[in-house]
Amino acid sequence: MEIKLAESCGFCFGVKRAIRLAESNPNSVVIGELIHNRREIDRLSQNFGVRTAASAEEINGGDRAIIRTHGIEKEAKAKLLTITDDIIDATCPYVTKPQKIAETMSQKGYQIVIFGDRKHPEVKAVLSYADKSAAVVADASELETINIGDRVALISQTTKSIAAFGEVAAALIARTSEARVFNTICNATYDNQEATRKLAKEADIMIVIGGKNSSNTKQLHAIALKYCADSYLIEESSELRREWFSGKRLCGVSAGASTPDWIIEEATKSIAQFELLAGLD
């Protein structure tokens, strides 16, 4: 069985930047999970003393605080500034962009519509920069459930599907007299999705590696399933099962933007070991 890695996968620019900031600021405190990968967060804790706080209220005056990759809500940031001025902002620049758009377009009188998961920390942070008329939709059909104004600005969670975003944009344009559409999906997300799609079309088993609470990783798994029925989402190599690979010809491997190289390497080595054991049977 051949094992083939997607042409684009794993750590994106924003995550690499956040990890670098955390490593260079040992014993700091992150507000929320720095990235959506439990094992990488554990590594930062064990090797660099980087702790995780649930909210700004858990920060003490002497702490060095790090704002997570997904950003925090505007009100939480204001609260943080009253507690400490020792703040490292690890918010991904691709996430900062929709925050600024939400704030600017709200001030110009546009209703903000966000395509994304309303429970996701990135979306919560972006929503906090918009006025109270803002709405979050998970897909185009949800537009039917909200009141749409005459002037609307559409933005997207950075890790969503470009095709699904296009569907929301088309449906919104049909319902309003003026719609401003801002493509805030990051390039790394698009590249990883396209690489996964390409590989899944030729593989007869796909392994997608990443946090199960990671939006972009779940998107990759959904894409893989469209083209390869035997597609599995795992966080680490211990979840792999030998029987998955029986009789398979090509195993494709992809990984979410919060998945470090060392976890990808662990998984591919485990898959190769299954193949070696199969040869001995």
Side-chain angles (χ1 to χ4, degrees), residues 208-253:
V208 179
I209 312 164
K212 293 179 181 177
N213 60 340
S214 165
S215 174
N216 76 84
T217 302
K218 289 188 285 187
Q219 287 279 348
L220 294 179
H221 183 224
I223 289 169
L225 280 170
K226 281 186 178 181
Y227 303 98
C228 179
D230 289 331
S231 293
Y232 301 90
L233 171 57
I234 66 165
E235 289 195 359
E236 53 187 277
S237 58
S238 63
E239 297 176 48
L240 293 166
R241 295 292 176 265
R242 182 178 174 184
E243 58 269 21
W244 293 352
F245 304 94
S246 178
K248 301 301 184 185
R249 172 187 54 82
L250 172 61
C251 173
V253 177

Side-chain angles (χ1 to χ4, degrees), residues 107-212:
Q107 291 170 352
K108 291 182 178 180
Y110 287 82
Q111 179 187 9
I112 306 301
V113 175
I114 304 170
F115 168 51
D117 177 1
R118 57 179 51 85
K119 295 181 180 180
H120 194 280
E122 177 192 324
V123 174
K124 289 180 178 179
V126 173
L127 190 61
S128 72
Y129 284 85
D131 65 25
K132 292 182 180 179
S133 69
V136 180
V137 296
D139 53 47
S141 67
E142 287 196 2
L143 289 171
E144 300 295 332
T145 66
I146 61 175
N147 293 321
I148 301 294
D150 291 331
R151 303 169 72 218
V152 179
L154 174 66
I155 54 182
S156 176
Q157 184 177 335
T158 57
T159 53
K160 301 301 283 185
S161 159
I162 190 69
F165 181 59
E167 292 174 1
V168 175
L172 187 62
I173 290 168
R175 291 193 56 193
T176 187
S177 58
E178 182 183 356
R180 297 283 301 275
V181 178
F182 296 88
N183 181 6
T184 52
I185 297 172
C186 78
N187 294 336
T189 293
Y190 177 78
D191 291 343
N192 285 0
Q193 290 177 355
E194 287 303 300
T196 297
R197 183 177 289 107
K198 178 182 176 182
L199 183 55
K201 287 179 178 179
E202 58 177 305
D204 47 11
I205 180 172
M206 282 288 296
I207 303 297
V208 179
I209 312 164
K212 293 179 181 177

